Short mmCIF file of all heavy atoms in Angstrom, two decimals:
data_model
loop_
_atom_site.label_atom_id
_atom_site.label_comp_id
_atom_site.label_asym_id
_atom_site.label_seq_id
_atom_site.Cartn_x
_atom_site.Cartn_y
_atom_site.Cartn_z
N LEU A 13 20.97 -5.78 22.52
CA LEU A 13 19.91 -5.72 23.38
C LEU A 13 19.70 -4.34 24.17
O LEU A 13 18.67 -3.99 24.54
CB LEU A 13 19.89 -6.76 24.45
CG LEU A 13 19.84 -8.24 23.87
CD1 LEU A 13 19.98 -9.24 25.03
CD2 LEU A 13 18.60 -8.54 23.09
N SER A 14 20.72 -3.69 24.28
CA SER A 14 20.69 -2.32 24.92
C SER A 14 19.91 -1.29 23.94
O SER A 14 19.29 -0.28 24.45
CB SER A 14 22.00 -1.76 25.22
OG SER A 14 22.83 -1.65 24.06
N ALA A 15 19.90 -1.71 22.72
CA ALA A 15 19.22 -0.82 21.66
C ALA A 15 17.79 -1.18 21.55
O ALA A 15 16.79 -0.41 21.39
CB ALA A 15 19.82 -0.88 20.32
N GLY A 16 17.54 -2.56 21.65
CA GLY A 16 16.15 -3.02 21.52
C GLY A 16 16.09 -4.52 21.38
O GLY A 16 17.09 -5.17 21.32
N PHE A 17 14.95 -5.07 21.64
CA PHE A 17 14.81 -6.50 21.53
C PHE A 17 13.56 -6.85 20.69
O PHE A 17 12.47 -6.26 20.77
CB PHE A 17 14.53 -7.12 22.93
CG PHE A 17 14.32 -8.48 22.92
CD1 PHE A 17 15.47 -9.37 22.89
CD2 PHE A 17 13.03 -9.04 23.08
CE1 PHE A 17 15.19 -10.77 22.88
CE2 PHE A 17 12.84 -10.46 23.12
CZ PHE A 17 13.96 -11.35 22.97
N VAL A 18 13.86 -7.77 19.89
CA VAL A 18 12.71 -8.41 18.95
C VAL A 18 12.59 -9.88 19.39
O VAL A 18 13.66 -10.60 19.40
CB VAL A 18 12.95 -8.31 17.47
CG1 VAL A 18 11.80 -8.86 16.64
CG2 VAL A 18 13.27 -6.90 17.11
N GLU A 19 11.45 -10.31 19.67
CA GLU A 19 11.25 -11.77 20.04
C GLU A 19 12.04 -12.61 18.97
O GLU A 19 12.05 -12.31 17.80
CB GLU A 19 9.84 -12.18 20.23
CG GLU A 19 9.12 -12.02 18.96
CD GLU A 19 8.03 -13.22 18.73
OE1 GLU A 19 8.42 -14.32 18.65
OE2 GLU A 19 6.84 -12.90 18.90
N PRO A 20 12.44 -13.83 19.40
CA PRO A 20 13.35 -14.55 18.44
C PRO A 20 12.81 -15.37 17.32
O PRO A 20 13.50 -16.25 16.69
CB PRO A 20 14.02 -15.56 19.55
CG PRO A 20 13.01 -15.79 20.50
CD PRO A 20 12.29 -14.46 20.59
N LEU A 21 11.48 -15.06 16.89
CA LEU A 21 10.86 -15.95 15.89
C LEU A 21 11.72 -15.99 14.52
O LEU A 21 11.73 -17.01 13.96
CB LEU A 21 9.44 -15.28 15.62
CG LEU A 21 8.61 -16.06 14.72
CD1 LEU A 21 8.38 -17.50 15.21
CD2 LEU A 21 7.28 -15.30 14.56
N GLU A 22 12.25 -14.88 14.09
CA GLU A 22 13.04 -14.88 12.86
C GLU A 22 14.49 -14.63 13.13
O GLU A 22 15.24 -14.25 12.13
CB GLU A 22 12.49 -13.94 11.89
CG GLU A 22 11.11 -14.26 11.31
CD GLU A 22 11.20 -15.33 10.16
OE1 GLU A 22 12.38 -15.69 9.88
OE2 GLU A 22 10.09 -15.56 9.60
N ALA A 23 15.01 -14.84 14.31
CA ALA A 23 16.38 -14.80 14.62
C ALA A 23 17.10 -13.51 14.19
O ALA A 23 18.10 -13.55 13.49
CB ALA A 23 17.12 -15.99 13.97
N THR A 24 16.54 -12.38 14.55
CA THR A 24 16.97 -11.15 14.17
C THR A 24 17.98 -10.46 15.02
O THR A 24 18.57 -9.37 14.69
CB THR A 24 15.85 -10.11 13.92
OG1 THR A 24 14.99 -10.10 15.14
CG2 THR A 24 14.92 -10.55 12.78
N GLY A 25 18.29 -11.07 16.20
CA GLY A 25 19.17 -10.49 17.24
C GLY A 25 20.57 -10.06 16.63
O GLY A 25 20.96 -9.01 16.68
N ILE A 26 21.19 -11.13 16.25
CA ILE A 26 22.57 -10.93 15.71
C ILE A 26 22.51 -10.02 14.41
O ILE A 26 23.31 -9.24 14.22
CB ILE A 26 23.22 -12.29 15.40
CG1 ILE A 26 23.46 -13.10 16.66
CG2 ILE A 26 24.56 -12.10 14.66
CD1 ILE A 26 23.99 -14.48 16.50
N GLY A 27 21.49 -10.26 13.58
CA GLY A 27 21.40 -9.42 12.32
C GLY A 27 21.28 -7.98 12.70
O GLY A 27 21.78 -7.13 11.95
N LEU A 28 20.57 -7.61 13.72
CA LEU A 28 20.44 -6.19 14.14
C LEU A 28 21.82 -5.66 14.53
O LEU A 28 22.13 -4.44 14.24
CB LEU A 28 19.38 -6.07 15.21
CG LEU A 28 17.89 -5.98 14.63
CD1 LEU A 28 16.99 -6.15 15.83
CD2 LEU A 28 17.58 -4.76 14.02
N ALA A 29 22.51 -6.47 15.28
CA ALA A 29 23.86 -6.03 15.68
C ALA A 29 24.73 -5.82 14.48
O ALA A 29 25.57 -4.87 14.36
CB ALA A 29 24.56 -6.98 16.60
N GLU A 30 24.63 -6.74 13.56
CA GLU A 30 25.37 -6.60 12.26
C GLU A 30 25.05 -5.39 11.56
O GLU A 30 25.93 -4.53 11.09
CB GLU A 30 25.11 -7.71 11.36
CG GLU A 30 25.47 -9.11 11.70
CD GLU A 30 25.13 -10.09 10.68
OE1 GLU A 30 25.60 -10.09 9.48
OE2 GLU A 30 24.26 -10.88 10.97
N SER A 31 23.77 -5.13 11.43
CA SER A 31 23.31 -3.89 10.71
C SER A 31 23.75 -2.57 11.47
O SER A 31 24.26 -1.67 10.76
CB SER A 31 21.75 -3.90 10.65
OG SER A 31 21.39 -5.01 9.87
N ALA A 32 23.68 -2.57 12.70
CA ALA A 32 24.24 -1.38 13.40
C ALA A 32 25.63 -1.13 13.26
O ALA A 32 26.07 0.06 13.08
CB ALA A 32 23.83 -1.59 14.92
N GLY A 33 26.48 -2.15 13.33
CA GLY A 33 27.85 -2.06 13.13
C GLY A 33 28.25 -1.56 11.75
O GLY A 33 29.08 -0.75 11.50
N LEU A 34 27.50 -2.15 10.70
CA LEU A 34 27.75 -1.74 9.36
C LEU A 34 27.36 -0.28 9.11
O LEU A 34 28.12 0.46 8.55
CB LEU A 34 26.93 -2.59 8.50
CG LEU A 34 27.13 -2.48 6.84
CD1 LEU A 34 26.83 -3.77 6.18
CD2 LEU A 34 26.01 -1.35 6.35
N LEU A 35 26.27 0.17 9.71
CA LEU A 35 25.81 1.57 9.51
C LEU A 35 26.67 2.42 10.31
O LEU A 35 27.05 3.52 9.78
CB LEU A 35 24.34 1.59 10.05
CG LEU A 35 23.65 2.96 10.03
CD1 LEU A 35 23.69 3.53 8.48
CD2 LEU A 35 22.22 2.94 10.47
N LEU A 36 27.11 2.09 11.52
CA LEU A 36 28.02 2.94 12.29
C LEU A 36 29.30 3.17 11.50
O LEU A 36 29.83 4.31 11.40
CB LEU A 36 28.32 2.33 13.59
CG LEU A 36 29.31 3.05 14.51
CD1 LEU A 36 28.86 4.48 14.80
CD2 LEU A 36 29.44 2.31 15.84
N ALA A 37 29.89 2.15 10.99
CA ALA A 37 31.16 2.29 10.20
C ALA A 37 30.89 3.14 8.94
O ALA A 37 31.84 3.85 8.61
CB ALA A 37 31.65 0.84 9.76
N ALA A 38 29.78 3.06 8.44
CA ALA A 38 29.52 3.84 7.15
C ALA A 38 29.30 5.35 7.41
O ALA A 38 29.74 6.16 6.57
CB ALA A 38 28.21 3.27 6.42
N VAL A 39 28.63 5.72 8.46
CA VAL A 39 28.31 7.07 8.77
C VAL A 39 29.27 7.76 9.68
O VAL A 39 29.28 9.10 9.95
CB VAL A 39 26.85 7.30 9.34
CG1 VAL A 39 25.90 6.54 8.37
CG2 VAL A 39 26.70 6.60 10.77
N LEU A 40 30.13 7.07 10.37
CA LEU A 40 31.03 7.62 11.41
C LEU A 40 31.92 8.71 10.76
O LEU A 40 32.74 8.37 9.93
CB LEU A 40 31.88 6.52 12.05
CG LEU A 40 32.72 6.96 13.14
CD1 LEU A 40 31.96 7.32 14.39
CD2 LEU A 40 33.86 5.87 13.56
N PRO A 41 31.87 9.94 11.36
CA PRO A 41 32.79 10.96 10.88
C PRO A 41 34.05 10.91 11.63
O PRO A 41 34.08 10.77 12.91
CB PRO A 41 32.05 12.23 11.32
CG PRO A 41 31.23 11.90 12.55
CD PRO A 41 30.85 10.34 12.36
N TRP A 42 35.14 10.79 10.96
CA TRP A 42 36.52 10.69 11.50
C TRP A 42 36.91 12.00 12.21
O TRP A 42 37.78 12.11 13.05
CB TRP A 42 37.63 10.21 10.57
CG TRP A 42 37.42 8.71 10.26
CD1 TRP A 42 36.35 8.12 9.61
CD2 TRP A 42 38.39 7.73 10.36
NE1 TRP A 42 36.51 6.78 9.54
CE2 TRP A 42 37.84 6.47 9.97
CE3 TRP A 42 39.64 7.69 10.96
CZ2 TRP A 42 38.52 5.34 10.02
CZ3 TRP A 42 40.33 6.51 11.02
CH2 TRP A 42 39.81 5.32 10.55
N ALA A 43 36.20 13.10 11.67
CA ALA A 43 36.50 14.44 12.31
C ALA A 43 35.25 15.15 12.24
O ALA A 43 34.23 14.84 11.49
CB ALA A 43 37.53 15.18 11.53
N GLY A 44 35.03 16.21 13.07
CA GLY A 44 33.84 17.01 13.13
C GLY A 44 32.86 16.48 14.04
O GLY A 44 32.97 15.59 14.84
N PRO A 45 31.67 17.18 14.12
CA PRO A 45 30.65 16.88 15.04
C PRO A 45 29.95 15.51 14.79
O PRO A 45 29.93 15.03 13.62
CB PRO A 45 29.56 18.09 14.97
CG PRO A 45 29.77 18.58 13.61
CD PRO A 45 31.32 18.35 13.30
N LEU A 46 29.30 14.94 15.83
CA LEU A 46 28.70 13.65 15.56
C LEU A 46 27.20 13.68 15.32
O LEU A 46 26.54 12.71 15.00
CB LEU A 46 28.96 12.80 16.90
CG LEU A 46 30.35 12.53 17.29
CD1 LEU A 46 30.45 11.75 18.62
CD2 LEU A 46 31.03 11.68 16.28
N ASP A 47 26.63 14.87 15.54
CA ASP A 47 25.13 14.91 15.61
C ASP A 47 24.41 14.66 14.25
O ASP A 47 23.41 13.98 14.20
CB ASP A 47 24.66 16.31 16.07
CG ASP A 47 25.23 17.41 15.20
OD1 ASP A 47 26.22 17.32 14.70
OD2 ASP A 47 24.61 18.53 15.33
N VAL A 48 25.14 15.03 13.12
CA VAL A 48 24.51 14.60 11.82
C VAL A 48 24.54 13.20 11.51
O VAL A 48 23.59 12.59 11.17
CB VAL A 48 25.31 15.51 10.73
CG1 VAL A 48 24.80 14.99 9.33
CG2 VAL A 48 25.19 16.91 10.88
N ALA A 49 25.75 12.48 11.88
CA ALA A 49 25.74 11.12 11.74
C ALA A 49 24.74 10.36 12.69
O ALA A 49 24.10 9.39 12.33
CB ALA A 49 27.18 10.63 12.00
N ALA A 50 24.71 10.94 13.82
CA ALA A 50 23.62 10.29 14.92
C ALA A 50 22.20 10.36 14.31
O ALA A 50 21.54 9.35 14.46
CB ALA A 50 23.76 10.96 16.19
N ARG A 51 21.91 11.51 13.77
CA ARG A 51 20.50 11.53 13.28
C ARG A 51 20.19 10.53 12.17
O ARG A 51 19.15 9.87 12.05
CB ARG A 51 20.21 13.00 12.75
CG ARG A 51 19.89 14.01 13.79
CD ARG A 51 19.31 15.27 13.32
NE ARG A 51 20.16 16.02 12.33
CZ ARG A 51 21.06 16.89 12.62
NH1 ARG A 51 21.30 17.19 13.84
NH2 ARG A 51 21.82 17.45 11.61
N GLN A 52 21.13 10.39 11.27
CA GLN A 52 21.04 9.40 10.12
C GLN A 52 21.02 7.98 10.64
O GLN A 52 20.18 7.24 10.27
CB GLN A 52 22.09 9.60 9.14
CG GLN A 52 21.93 8.68 7.90
CD GLN A 52 23.00 8.84 6.91
OE1 GLN A 52 24.09 9.39 7.15
NE2 GLN A 52 22.78 8.46 5.66
N PHE A 53 21.88 7.69 11.62
CA PHE A 53 21.88 6.37 12.25
C PHE A 53 20.58 6.05 12.87
O PHE A 53 20.00 5.03 12.75
CB PHE A 53 23.08 6.35 13.25
CG PHE A 53 23.22 5.02 13.95
CD1 PHE A 53 24.04 4.05 13.51
CD2 PHE A 53 22.55 4.70 15.08
CE1 PHE A 53 24.29 2.81 14.15
CE2 PHE A 53 22.71 3.50 15.84
CZ PHE A 53 23.57 2.57 15.26
N ASN A 54 20.05 7.02 13.71
CA ASN A 54 18.85 6.74 14.47
C ASN A 54 17.62 6.60 13.56
O ASN A 54 16.76 5.82 13.82
CB ASN A 54 18.57 7.96 15.45
CG ASN A 54 19.59 7.99 16.66
OD1 ASN A 54 20.00 6.95 17.04
ND2 ASN A 54 19.87 9.17 17.16
N ASP A 55 17.62 7.37 12.45
CA ASP A 55 16.52 7.17 11.54
C ASP A 55 16.53 5.78 10.86
O ASP A 55 15.46 5.19 10.88
CB ASP A 55 16.56 8.33 10.50
CG ASP A 55 15.63 8.27 9.40
OD1 ASP A 55 14.34 8.30 9.72
OD2 ASP A 55 15.91 7.95 8.28
N LYS A 56 17.65 5.48 10.50
CA LYS A 56 17.65 4.17 9.66
C LYS A 56 17.50 2.99 10.65
O LYS A 56 16.78 1.99 10.21
CB LYS A 56 19.04 3.97 8.94
CG LYS A 56 19.17 4.93 7.71
CD LYS A 56 20.27 4.48 6.81
CE LYS A 56 20.28 5.36 5.56
NZ LYS A 56 19.14 4.94 4.65
#
């Protein structure tokens, strides 16, 4: 909910958290700057 809220008609709340966690794990750089990963995360 800190990222955003969609009314509960299609029960997307938990799904958005799942998507964000999956995307974060995929783009997270274990080393180096964060800004490139952040841009991709924000866009998606």
Side-chain angles (χ1 to χ4, degrees):
L13 297 177
S14 60
F17 179 80
V18 182
E19 64 139 295
L21 185 60
E22 288 283 1
T24 50
I26 295 175
L28 280 164
E30 293 176 68
S31 300
L34 183 150
L35 181 57
L36 177 58
V39 304
L40 184 70
W42 287 60
L46 300 177
D47 55 339
V48 174
R51 283 197 298 272
Q52 185 177 18
F53 181 93
N54 288 329
D55 175 65
K56 288 193 172 292

